[in-house]
Amino acid sequence: MGRLSSRRRFPAEVLALGGAALLACPDASAQARDPAAAEALFDAGRAALQAKDYETACPKFRESYELDPAPGALLNLGDCEEKRGKIATAWSIFRQLARDLPANDDRRPIAQARAAALEGRVPRLTIRLAPGAPVDTAVRRSGIPVGAGSLGAPLPVDPGEVQVTATAPGRKQKTFTAQLAEGAQAELVVAPEEPAAGGASAGPALPPKEGSQGTGSSTWRTAGWIGAGVGAVGIGLGAAFGLRALGKKGDAEAYCNEANVCGEQGIRLQEQGATAGTISTVAFLVGAAALGAGAVLIFTAPSPAQASSAPRAMVGVVPGGAVAKVIF
């Protein structure tokens, strides 16, 4: 058999370390030994590996190692995991083999070279607790607990989607997702869901600040009064320019004959009167519109109770330049 196809067992002193078994196969120490079944699974794994059926081969190598810890099974498992894209898993297996195999084992340099080749391809994910997150927040990465010592450390993960959950007493679990390519570095800041308003973990309800009730109603009415004021000013200006137009027309008559043929001064006064008349008309129209709108706002403003329960809208820009409107 070649170096990859051989199952030769670890020496007793290496088995006592158990490093590779615990990392690659957490249940290996609890399995009953069955060398014959382990040999059959190893051969089946090699056949599947040669056929490039990695989804079949990897579990067979793993179970072969669990039934009878042999470096050949573990070396082939690392090779299989790398071929099916589980770079971090393969890297950890080769590192353990490189550390645990005896110096005179010809598979040790193979494991060392394979681990070194994978080093730069391993994605790493840093997980941090969000500011204000409960100190007793429990974090899991792909179902594996992330302890306090692991938080803030760039830990190796296999490429692809990684799910991280965060939960705490009195809080609902919240799930975060990261997508990592080979060699990528990513960071997730996590925290459990915020406690529901009025829930068991919520503090006592605080009275509203003075003047906070009916804020929407007050704003509505204020806008109405401003509109009414603008309307009143517009109507006042319209009346003033209307009177000016009449005055200019009267002044021009002194410079015009009975056939309404006017001298230069008369023509000038008539033009000034026409201009004043146009301004008067526009001012009247704008003033009337503003006064009407103000009256509508004043008389249709909601009561304070209605205003406090009305939905509010927040507008923001989302990636791509689109405008998103969130009702809350």
Side-chain angles (χ1 to χ4, degrees):
M1 285 188 176
R3 287 174 293 180
L4 282 177
S5 60
S6 172
R7 286 189 65 254
R8 287 161 23 204
R9 297 184 62 182
F10 281 110
E13 63 272 16
V14 175
L15 282 175
L17 295 175
L22 292 176
L23 180 61
C25 307
D27 298 328
S29 60
Q31 291 279 348
R33 302 298 181 215
D34 190 344
E39 190 73 33
L41 286 168
F42 179 83
D43 291 340
R46 287 291 303 169
L49 185 63
Q50 291 172 359
K52 299 183 179 181
D53 184 2
Y54 308 125
E55 299 303 319
T56 297
C58 292
K60 293 189 182 299
F61 287 131
R62 185 177 293 275
E63 190 169 347
S64 174
Y65 180 82
E66 290 171 357
L67 291 173
D68 188 29
L74 207 54
L75 191 60
N76 277 272
L77 176 60
D79 183 55
C80 183
E81 295 289 14
E82 178 185 354
K83 284 182 168 62
R84 70 170 177 172
K86 294 188 176 294
I87 305 300
T89 300
W91 172 75
S92 66
I93 291 173
F94 290 134
R95 278 174 56 90
Q96 285 291 340
L97 280 167
R99 183 163 56 245
D100 294 344
L101 282 169
N104 61 351
D105 193 307
D106 58 358
R107 288 166 298 191
R108 184 174 183 178
I110 295 176
Q112 290 173 332
R114 297 289 292 271
L118 290 177
E119 178 77 31
R121 296 172 57 192
V122 177
R124 285 176 168 78
L125 177 64
T126 303
I127 303 172
R128 304 182 191 276
L129 283 183
V135 294
D136 54 354
T137 297
V139 180
R140 287 180 174 269
R141 188 197 72 229
S142 300
I144 302 172
V146 179
S150 297
L151 293 173
L155 299 180
V157 295
D158 287 320
E161 183 177 282
V162 180
Q163 286 195 343
V164 178
T165 61
T167 187
R171 303 278 192 99
K172 289 185 178 180
Q173 176 177 290
K174 190 169 185 179
T175 301
F176 303 81
T177 302
Q179 192 76 29
L180 288 92
E182 287 190 14
Q185 301 275 344
E187 180 173 315
L188 276 181
V189 180
V190 305
E193 292 282 2
E194 290 295 326
S201 59
L206 297 176
K209 293 182 180 179
E210 183 179 354
S212 64
Q213 292 185 348
T215 300
S217 173
S218 175
T219 302
W220 201 315
R221 291 180 185 277
T222 299
W225 284 114
I226 292 174
V230 171
V233 171
I235 291 175
L237 286 174
F241 276 93
L243 292 174
R244 179 179 176 84
L246 292 175
K248 292 295 182 181
K249 182 179 179 181
D251 292 342
E253 291 178 354
Y255 299 94
C256 302
N257 57 26
E258 293 179 355
N260 202 30
V261 176
C262 305
E264 183 179 347
Q265 181 65 17
I267 294 173
R268 186 179 299 109
L269 290 171
Q270 284 183 339
E271 289 176 348
Q272 291 175 354
T275 301
T278 300
I279 295 173
S280 173
T281 301
V282 172
F284 268 120
L285 291 175
V286 173
L291 186 61
V296 170
L297 289 173
I298 293 170
F299 291 111
T300 62
S303 66
Q306 290 173 325
S308 63
S309 62
R312 294 170 290 163
M314 180 174 65
V315 177
V317 178
V318 298
V323 176
K325 186 175 183 181
V326 182
I327 304 297
F328 60 99

